[in-house]
């Protein structure tokens, strides 16, 4: 289509001027990230929702409108209050159609195919692709080209996967070309396009042409550029891809280059005036603490003696805060860094650089110091761990270099031996980073991992090599990221203009082409976008395992230590060099697996000298975090942290999150995380000063253990003591030693926290956030953040202050009572509490260590001290209401999970107990449950029950609290029983001296607790079972695509395959599409998709140079784990709701000008804004629950799983069960296997349903004549006759539900490992000599089963047998049959109206 000449086009753009403005941008200024208020421009108007819980609200009697009130004493006047449903507000819930959820049709995804090795190139497709990208990155271009040619043999020439691989190869080469400007490489790229793509009959697509346009601009001869552009555009025109090529090129070239393309393109572009050219980007001055409050940093913290320089290394990594001479433009002047945003960004970039160099410097320094100190004495006892590690490093680096040479030789010489093939496979990955860094990562990771697992116990080889490979990948990514341009708002402006122009091109293509072509264009732009960043996807598990194995084996060869032996009689000493590590085998459950063990001498040294570990790259930021825009774009300036914390088992979730982000569905989640991240923080100087003094004194105080704790050792048993007495004595001694080591580890960890705090003492800093797979937000920096322990929270205050006002002063007093532990009283009583203890407040603030130390009696002593200081300063000011407060004040929910359940179920009694119902005093659910349990036990005691008599007056709030708190999040009956036992053991040690008796008593109490909860939350109980029933049906369903595939296979139809070669594992996966693969997936009210990751994976055996190992490789191809899916769904669903409530509240608070922070169900803001925030919290909750959330979930399930078929069950002795059995016996079906019968009956039922829905009367008659179990069910039974999940599996842990099968409960599955638990794990546990480092915190949770492929299979078989026997004991025999997947009716809601919450003062308090 001809729309104008080149000159006409050029004149049009000259007259408009806007594109010229885009092409003449000034790139000199570096400024801070996009301000949050420009999210509307960044994200645009929220998309029409495809799915969320935004349906017609339930009408309430009082016609309550959220945000139509706020009778506040100190209202915020920054913006007018908006309704939640505002279409333009990011804090509102837009309407959308629940019948159109985001669905990725992946049920026919094939298990990764593996292909035979050909000239050293083979394996799974993903492994070959990653090897290809690795070869390009490290400059092994010949092998990269050979790898692509191997793909030409694997795929058919017309397969879309093949041109995508060529595009990725070209993209990687062009990325290298842009860096090097190598003209020979440019000729090679052009030759590849002509010979290896077009010459081989592979059709280039728009992405291919766009890439070649980008390559054309690297031509050194400017005359050739226009000619080359014309050629590629002419070829694109011939293929009818010219417009699509423009769109593709715009995504990978800059606007200047795009302008040049338009000057030679003989087609017209959209009117450039259609997009805005004035995108505001303002330079925000970098805020620092007021100069008057600056605290000198020359007061050193007394270091905890660690026999190493781990603390020195941390201080070096934090030197960016005190040594600014290396920051360009500062000349060592701190004020210059503080005032200029560009310099602040330079400091942040320095902070994010890798810390391996500091680790190496530390080892070298310790090594040199040990030589100076020891002279010629090089014994183990006189060396620090760092010095020993430096010796290993010096020995390991040459071995790595030699291994790289061998790998390159194996590739060059085409070594076909197994060792040569392995080297060819992992060789390119060994070269991603320097041998020095590879060595440092290896040593640090292995010692960290082994220390975490228990240095004396050894570590499974499978887990060790896999996580080491992951650590190498992460360091490789960090190395690649260094070459990225700095994040600047000018760059964002250019990117925004490109995005807007891209949208105009897409609109033009949709306008000027048929709908089919338009869809193809959109698909090509999304699907064929080249993968320019090798770090977007994880390396394949096999690659990580092989790379980790070779590095472990090299460390085993190189790591030696000198052990000095002393002759017991002569006293003569001798020195012997011994290996530090070795591999061996152990047996468990009749299976063998490999372990790496540590030399006993080194193990003893590491136990006494805890390893400091790798330093964190994820420290708090000195500038506002980068706004989140994509899966791995946001947060830190350079570190590519994903927005969702997802391990390898979350592969399906990553696809959904990426798709949701690309479509705009994650916009509100992104914006909410940006709100949390942009909250500025300061270190509380007063609290830090006290904490530092306590630390340097060495005494135990609050949660700081003593430097040299005193222990009373038991007396040695006498000569006549028997073996049992000696065993008890040894056990007590061991417990004391473990406690001593635990105290030491805790002090080491606190030492690191205090050093970080001191480094940030005069800084304004920020915590970037991301979410878990359910949407719960967490700060990414692990050492010091507001989600940490009391000492961390006490050290933090907001970076911006606000005047208290009358309301704020009152809330400050209430906050004091809350952190002290007096939080169950009325607000007035809490204010009175503060005033009644005013003398104690002043004493604590003025003389925290030399006074009465009243603050130490608080539940949260450090936060109490911070509040005392703030309250004293306010009251001492001329006008306390004008005092500018920086202290965060908290509002905590009342068992927030039960609050959501009470609202969902409409439980009036339960709503009152969790403060959804207005009241004069706060209700306490734990006390209420304890009273119900006490009354029930009293009735039993009156009836003569012996246990009840024993427990009279012993049931307290503390006994029931853990079980009530975790019941809603999926604690099992066995888990609850252990919780009760733990509380009884602490409170009544005399009562529970007998372990067997303790469990009997605990079981009795647990049943009473569950019964009390069921009575209070009857509606919630029904909802939990409804959720479990839905999950049970989904997990035994086949998608329509799977059913069609089965039907086609039965008819002999061969599915089209993109492969030209036959895979080696094709036979093993012949019937893979008959597996139950449907995971439970739902959408939160913020449109974030939630995908449960629980699947049953098979082990893949990998041969390494250490030994044969087996790896789990979870994917969407694996069958789901039904038990985990259904037990995990209710708690995970509630977590997704409380995450939504928090983010909605954050967005609204930001709109209203409030500072906001949160720890799940604990929300923080300034005291002056508490009334406003409380109104926001209530309105967000009302807005969510005024809609039919469960009804919308049912609607989503019906749409998401439409036309699925699932296996229903009835009791075999029921009338329907007998009829089905009779039909099967009357046919030949009984002679077939169960699998064959299931397929035959599935096809018969599908045929019957198709005939019944036909418009042809004859076909409908034929369908009515067919007799299938499904027809018998429709005629003689209904949904009530089906065996429910409660009967079939039990829903252990549901509210009020007690499992009848104790043996089946071997783990608490309901709630996966929460990051709260990970954070708590970082706080060292007394009795453990380990310290949890950042490597442990951020370690990939994936891993393998064992080193024997049958190990886990044997365990799973045993578990399956136990579970099967338990089921047989629980229910009668069942009969299966196929039904269309439908869901049971939504439980009837109770009488409680959530709008009543608007008057509840104690909802969050």
């Amino acid at each position: 289509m001809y729309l104008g000449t080149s000159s006409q086009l050029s004149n049009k753009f000259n007259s408009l001027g806007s594109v010229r403005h885009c092409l003449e941008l000034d790139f000199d200024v570096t400024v801070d990230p996009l301000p949050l208020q420009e999210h509307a421009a960044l994200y645009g108007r929220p998309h029409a929702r495809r799915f969320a819980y935004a349906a017609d609200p339930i009408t309430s009697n009082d016609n309550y409108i959220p945000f139509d009130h706020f009778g506040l004493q100190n209202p915020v006047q920054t913006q007018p209050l908006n309704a939640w449903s505002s279409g333009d507000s990011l804090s509102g819930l837009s309407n959308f159609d629940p019948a159109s959820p985001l669905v990725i049709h992946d049920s026919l995804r094939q298990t990764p195919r593996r292909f035979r090795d050909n000239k050293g190139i083979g394996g799974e497709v993903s492994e070959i692709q990653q090897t290809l990208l690795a070869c390009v990155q490290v400059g092994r271009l010949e092998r990269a080209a050979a790898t692509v040619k191997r793909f030409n043999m694997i795929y058919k020439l017309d397969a879309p996967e093949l041109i995508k691989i060529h595009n990725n190869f070209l993209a990687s080469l062009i990325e290298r070309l842009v860096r090097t400007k190598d003209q020979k490489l440019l000729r090679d790229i052009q030759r590849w396009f002509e010979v290896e793509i077009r010459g081989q009959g592979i059709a280039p697509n728009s992405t291919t042409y766009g890439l070649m346009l980008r390559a054309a601009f690297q031509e050194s001869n400017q005359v050739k550029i226009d000619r080359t552009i014309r050629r590629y555009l002419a070829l694109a025109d011939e293929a009818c891809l010219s417009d699509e090529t423009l769109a593709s090129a715009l995504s990978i070239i800059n606007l200047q280059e795009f302008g040049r393309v338009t000057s030679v393109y003989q087609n017209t572009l959209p009117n450039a005036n259609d997009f805005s050219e004035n995108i505001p980007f303002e330079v925000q001055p970098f805020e620092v603490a007021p100069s008057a409050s600056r605290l000198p940093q020359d007061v050193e913290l007394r270091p905890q003696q660690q026999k190493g320089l781990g603390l020195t290394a941390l201080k070096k990594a934090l030197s960016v805060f005190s040594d600014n001479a290396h920051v360009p433009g500062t000349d060592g002047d701190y004020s210059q860094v503080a005032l200029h945003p560009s310099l602040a960004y330079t400091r942040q970039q320095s902070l994010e650089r890798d810390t391996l160099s500091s680790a190496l410097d530390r080892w070298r320094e310790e090594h040199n110091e040990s030589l100076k100190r020891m002279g010629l004495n090089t014994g183990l006892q006189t060396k620090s761990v760092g010095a020993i590690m430096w010796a290993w490093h010096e020995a390991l680096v040459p071995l790595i270099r030699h291994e790289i040479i061998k790998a390159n030789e194996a590739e060059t010489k085409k070594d076909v031996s197994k060792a040569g093939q392995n080297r060819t496979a992992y060789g390119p990955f060994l070269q991603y980073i320097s041998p020095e860094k590879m060595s440092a990562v290896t040593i640090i990771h292995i010692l960290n991992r082994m220390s975490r697992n228990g240095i004396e116990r050894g570590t499974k080889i499978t887990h060790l090599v896999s996580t080491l490979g992951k650590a190498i990948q992460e360091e490789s990514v960090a190395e690649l990221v260094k070459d990225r341009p700095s994040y600047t708002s000018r760059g964002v402006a250019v990117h925004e203009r490109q995005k807007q122009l891209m949208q105009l091109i897409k609109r033009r293509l949709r306008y000027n082409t048929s709908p089919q072509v338009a869809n193809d264009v959109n698909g090509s732009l999304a699907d064929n976008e080249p993968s320019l960043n090798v770090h977007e996807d994880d390396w394949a598990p096999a690659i990580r395992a092989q790379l980790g194995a070779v590095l472990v084996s090299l460390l085993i060869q190189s790591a030696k230590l000198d052990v000095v032996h002393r002759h017991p009689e002569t006293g003569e000493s001798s020195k012997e060099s011994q290996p530090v590590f070795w591999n061996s085998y152990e047996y468990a459950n009749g299976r063998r697996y490999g372990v790496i063990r540590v030399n006993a001498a080194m193990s003893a040294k590491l136990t006494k000298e805890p390893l400091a570990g790798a330093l964190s790259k994820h420290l708090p930021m000195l500038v506002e975090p980068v706004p989140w825009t994509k899966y791995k774009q946001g947060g830190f300036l350079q570190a590519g942290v994903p927005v969702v914390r997802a391990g390898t088992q979350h592969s399906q979730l990553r696809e959904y999150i990426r798709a949701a982000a690309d479509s705009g569905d994650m916009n509100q989640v992104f914006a909410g995380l940006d709100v949390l991240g942009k909250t500025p923080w300061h270190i509380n100087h007063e609290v830090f000063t006290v904490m530092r003094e306590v630390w340097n004194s060495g005494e135990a105080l609050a949660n700081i253990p003593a430097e040299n704790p005193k222990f009373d050792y038991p007396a040695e048993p006498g000569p006549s003591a028997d073996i049992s007495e000696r065993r008890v004595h040894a056990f007590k001694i061991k417990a004391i030693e473990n406690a001593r080591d635990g105290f030491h580890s805790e002090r080491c960890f606190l030492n690191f926290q205090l050093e970080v705090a001191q480094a940030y003492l005069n800084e304004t800093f920020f915590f970037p956030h991301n979410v878990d797979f359910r949407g719960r937000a967490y700060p990414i920096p692990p050492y010091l953040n507001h989600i940490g322990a009391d000492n961390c929270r006490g050290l933090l205050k907001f970076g911006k202050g606000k005047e208290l006002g009358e309301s704020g002063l009152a809330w400050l007093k209430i906050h004091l009572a809350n952190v002290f532990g007096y939080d169950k009283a009325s607000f007035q009583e809490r204010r009175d509490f503060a005033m009644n203890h005013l003398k104690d407040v002043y004493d604590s603030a003025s003389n925290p260590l030399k006074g009465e130390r009243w603050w130490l009696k608080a539940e949260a002593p450090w936060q109490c001290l911070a509040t005392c200081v703030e309250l004293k300063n306010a009251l001492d000011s001329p006008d306390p209401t004008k005092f500018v407060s920086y202290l965060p004040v908290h509002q905590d929910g009342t068992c927030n999970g039960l609050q959501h359940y009470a609202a969902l179920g409409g439980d009036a009694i339960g709503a009152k107990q969790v403060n959804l119902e207005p009241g004069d005093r706060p209700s306490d659910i734990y006390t209420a449950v304890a009273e119900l349990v006490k009354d029930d036990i009293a009735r039993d005691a009156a009836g003569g029950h012996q246990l009840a008599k024993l427990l009279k007056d012993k049931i307290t709030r503390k006994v029931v609290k853990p079980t009530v708190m975790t019941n809603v999040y999926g604690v099992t009956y066995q888990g609850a029983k252990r919780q009760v036992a733990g509380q009884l053991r602490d409170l009544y040690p005399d009562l529970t001296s007998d372990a067997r008796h303790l469990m009997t008593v605990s079981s009795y109490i647990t049943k009473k607790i569950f019964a009390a909860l069921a009575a209070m939350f009857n509606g919630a109980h029904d909802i939990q079972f409804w959720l479990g029933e839905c999950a049970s049906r989904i997990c035994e369903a086949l998608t329509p695509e799977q059913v069609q595939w089965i039907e086609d296979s039965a008819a002999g139809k061969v599915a089209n395959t993109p492969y030209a070669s036959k895979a080696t594992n094709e036979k093993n996966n012949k019937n893979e599409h008959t597996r139950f693969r449907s995971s439970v997936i739902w959408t939160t009210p913020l449109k974030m998709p939630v995908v449960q990751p629980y699947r049953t994976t098979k082990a893949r055996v990998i041969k390494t140079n250490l030994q044969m190992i087996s790896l789990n490789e979870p994917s969407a191809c694996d069958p789901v784990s039904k038990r985990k899916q259904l037990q995990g769904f209710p708690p995970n669903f509630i977590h997704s709701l409380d995450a939504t409530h928090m983010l909605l509240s954050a967005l609204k608070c930001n709109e209203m000008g409030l500072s906001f922070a949160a720890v799940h169900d604990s929300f923080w803001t300034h005291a002056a804004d508490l009334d406003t925030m409380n109104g926001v919290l209530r309105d967000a909750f009302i807005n969510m629950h005024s809609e039919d959330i469960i009804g919308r979930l049912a609607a989503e399930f019906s749409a998401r799983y439409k036309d699925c078929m699932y296996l229903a069950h009835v009791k075999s002795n029921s009338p329907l069960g007998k009829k089905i059995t009779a039909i099967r016996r009357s046919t030949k079906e009984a002679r077939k296997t169960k699998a064959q019968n299931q397929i035959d009956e599935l096809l018969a039922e599908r045929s019957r349903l198709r005939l019944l829905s036909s418009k042809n009367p004859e076909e409908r008659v034929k369908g009515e004549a067919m007799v299938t179990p499904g027809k018998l069910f429709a005629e003689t039974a209904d949904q009530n006759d089906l065996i429910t999940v409660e009967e079939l599996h039990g829903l252990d842990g549901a509210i009020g539900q007690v499992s009848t099968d104790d043996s089946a409960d071997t783990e608490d599955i309901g709630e996966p490992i929460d990051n709260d638990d990970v954070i708590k794990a970082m706080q060292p546990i007394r009795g453990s000599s380990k310290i949890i480092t950042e490597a442990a915190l951020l370690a990939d949770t994936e891993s393998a089963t064992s080193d024997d492929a049958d190990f886990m299979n044997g365990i799973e078989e045993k578990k399956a047998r136990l579970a099967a026997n338990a089921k047989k004991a629980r229910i009668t025999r069942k009969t299966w049959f196929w039904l269309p997947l439908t869901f049971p009716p939504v439980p009837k809601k109770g009488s409680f109206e959530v709008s009543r919450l608007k008057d509840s003062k104690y909802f969050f308090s």
Side-chain angles (χ1 to χ4, degrees), residues 398 1075 1288 1352:
R1075 301 169 182 167
L1288 191 60
M1352 181 55 81

Side-chain angles (χ1 to χ4, degrees), residues 146 174-175 249 329 393-394 497 521 774 1006 1046 1221 1290 1306 1370:
I174 293 169
E175 187 180 19
H393 173 72
E394 287 189 314
R497 290 181 172 91
V521 170
R774 299 157 300 189
T1006 301
I1046 293 172
T1221 303
T1306 58
R1370 280 206 303 269

Side-chain angles (χ1 to χ4, degrees), residues 843-844 847-854:
D843 179 73
S844 296
N847 301 292
L849 299 179
K850 298 180 180 179
E852 298 297 325
R853 296 190 175 191
W854 174 79

